[in-house]
Amino acid sequence: IPMLLPLRVEIEQYLKDHPHLHTQIKEAPKHSYESIIQQIELRFVDKSKNRKAGIHWANMGMYRKDIPFIFKAQDKIDFLTLLPKIIPKSESTFWLLIETQGDKYWLYEGTLPAITEIINHIGTSDFYIVSKKMEWLISENHHDVWSFVGEKLKLSCLEEST
C-alpha cells in the first residue's frame, strides 16, 4: 500500500525529482500568503451573504456577481489542455492556490506548463489558477466542476469542445 504524503511534501518531492521545473515554479514566500489570498478573495469572492466567506466556497457558486463567470462539469473534457487557449498571453506567471484539508492552502508562483504538470501530478485537490493582475481565476473543485471567472478569459474554445 503506497503511503500518502502530505500534499506540500508531495509537491516539493515532485519538484526535487523534476529539475526542469526549478526555474518555472516555486512556492510563494510564506509571509506573503495571507495578503495574496486576501487580494484573491477581495477580487473574486461574494461576501454579501457572509462577510467571512473565503475562497474555499467561491468555487461552489460564491463568486462576485459583478464579474462574469461560468461553471463547467468535467464531462470528458480535459480543461488542462485547453488552458493555453483560454488564458490571455499578457502574463507569463500565475498564482496556483492548492487547497488541502481544513481550508489550508499552499501558494505557488509559476508558468502555465509547470502549473499544469503539478496539477496533473497531485490529482483531485481543489485548486485555483489566478492572474497575478487579479483579472481572472480558473478553479476546479472536488466535484470536478471548473469555474472560469473574469472577462479576459477566452472561453470560445469551451463552446467548441462541448
Side-chain angles (χ1 to χ4, degrees), residues 41-137:
E41 289 178 346
L42 282 171
R43 176 69 179 113
F44 296 104
V45 178
D46 179 3
K47 294 181 177 274
S48 63
K49 293 182 180 80
N50 177 358
R51 66 181 179 82
K52 292 183 182 177
I55 194 72
H56 172 76
W57 291 105
N59 69 10
M60 300 293 283
M62 292 188 61
Y63 292 113
R64 285 178 39 185
K65 305 300 182 243
D66 61 329
I67 303 171
F69 65 89
I70 63 169
F71 293 107
K72 286 277 190 182
Q74 188 74 30
D75 288 340
K76 300 183 182 86
I77 299 170
D78 184 359
F79 289 122
L80 281 177
T81 62
L82 292 176
L83 291 181
K85 293 179 181 177
I86 295 170
I87 292 174
K89 307 282 186 262
S90 58
E91 292 179 73
S92 58
T93 59
F94 313 95
W95 296 121
L96 171 63
L97 190 60
I98 303 170
E99 186 174 344
T100 65
Q101 288 77 20
D103 296 345
K104 181 163 177 57
Y105 297 94
W106 297 108
L107 182 64
Y108 291 83
E109 177 183 359
T111 64
L112 189 56
I115 286 172
T116 55
E117 188 170 334
I118 294 295
I119 291 168
N120 274 324
H121 176 71
I122 61 171
T124 59
S125 292
D126 286 34
F127 66 82
Y128 306 80
I129 303 169
V130 185
S131 156
K132 290 178 76 180
K133 296 177 185 175
M134 301 292 164
E135 293 178 331
W136 53 263
L137 174 151

Side-chain angles (χ1 to χ4, degrees), residues 70 72 77 79 82 154-162:
I70 63 169
K72 286 277 190 182
I77 299 170
F79 289 122
L82 292 176
K154 298 179 183 114
L155 300 178
S156 57
C157 66
L158 295 180
E159 302 311 316
E160 296 162 12
S161 304
T162 53

